[in-house]
Amino acid sequence: MIEDKNQQRTSLAQLGEFGLIEHLTKNFDVTQESTLKSIGDDAAVLDFKDKKVVVSTDLLIEGVHFDLAYMPLKHLGYKSVVVNISDICAMNARPTQITVSVAVSNRFPLEALEELFDGITHAAKEYKVDVIGGDTTSSQKGLIISITAIGEADEDELVYRNGAKQTDLLVVTGDLGAAYMGLQVLEREKQVFQVNPNNQPDLDLYTYLVERQLKPEARKDVRTLLHALDIKPTAMIDISDGLSSEIIHICKQSKVGCNLYEDKLPLDPQFISTCEEFNIDSTTVAINGGEDYELLFTIDINDFDKIKGNPNFSVIGHMAEENEGIHLVTRANTKIALKARGWDALTE
């Protein structure tokens, strides 16, 4: 929310499309053996030999998915990569390449795009993926980012949403709801700033929540952790649109029911205290808030002893017969039907 009005501004028209692509992509390194040809031709060439290829793509649109009033461009570049890498991780696959496409209005100078691509470059190095292509074009509506992520896995490693069984346990990584509360904090500070631009935000009490919103991380470690425990999930999905929505996706595709237990939800202390400050029910946020990018998966009940007590995982429920339905079991031991109240980009 603090803008330097004296920044250097280089018009994108000075470079032209191809000059801009060359300028923004010069720092991308090729590290994957499967990348035969990356940026610079009509298409990238990949060689996965006997591996299965996993592909996912996402759009991030200014005013819908992010607000540049409090989202630094470098963080936005990093996050745009992470949200796609997370989808590859949710397939129990290893991310290897991404493509990056950007539509940008003329209000953005070259220096702004450099910041964005610094974040993309940092994420590519952090997650060891190659940037192998993409596109740039003009936009009448601000900034639009489209990233496609590619990954590889052996056929027997892949995990889909439709494999959960009636007796499976429901497991989640990390904690829930922090990203949503981070957004609430940032939106509040934005409103304060708009009323009084001299009043600078104090985010010291919300550092974890704000980081979960502005700079999330994909759980690339889970594949290795589960392999070490000799556990293969029966179904898996990442939590981008809210826990309740993701549970319903698994249940519908696996044709099972579910009991989710309120007292088993993993919540960070900073998240709980901030919910109290905002007078928001922490359970409601934990099951409906999106953008946590944790992994939600089911395991065979016989694997419980392998995962019990592991600090990376929380068993939060169990699957049931389809006709039992999908419920939240409250601390008072009452059952409430679970509804998909998470993020929906097309809801008015």
Side-chain angles (χ1 to χ4, degrees), residues 199-231:
N199 190 348
Q200 295 301 307
D202 183 3
L203 302 175
D204 289 346
L205 296 176
Y206 316 101
T207 52
Y208 178 67
L209 307 182
V210 170
E211 183 175 6
R212 291 280 283 182
Q213 171 59 220
L214 296 184
K215 189 177 177 290
E217 300 290 352
R219 295 305 303 261
K220 65 176 181 177
D221 58 326
V222 169
R223 184 172 183 260
T224 303
L225 289 169
L226 291 175
H227 186 266
L229 294 170
D230 192 29
I231 294 174

Side-chain angles (χ1 to χ4, degrees), residues 181 270-282 285:
M181 287 311 298
Q270 193 175 102
F271 164 79
I272 295 172
S273 63
T274 306
C275 284
E276 292 172 353
E277 179 188 343
F278 278 70
N279 196 27
I280 300 176
D281 180 67
S282 60
V285 176

Side-chain angles (χ1 to χ4, degrees), residues 19-57:
L20 176 63
I21 292 171
E22 183 177 350
H23 182 85
L24 294 176
T25 62
K26 63 187 178 185
N27 293 323
F28 292 136
D29 299 322
V30 173
T31 61
Q32 299 290 332
E33 289 184 6
S34 52
T35 306
L36 298 186
K37 181 66 179 178
S38 60
I39 297 168
D41 216 307
D42 290 308
V45 180
L46 309 178
D47 178 13
F48 288 93
K49 298 181 172 65
D50 53 358
K51 295 280 187 180
K52 299 300 177 185
V53 180
V54 180
V55 181
S56 180
T57 192

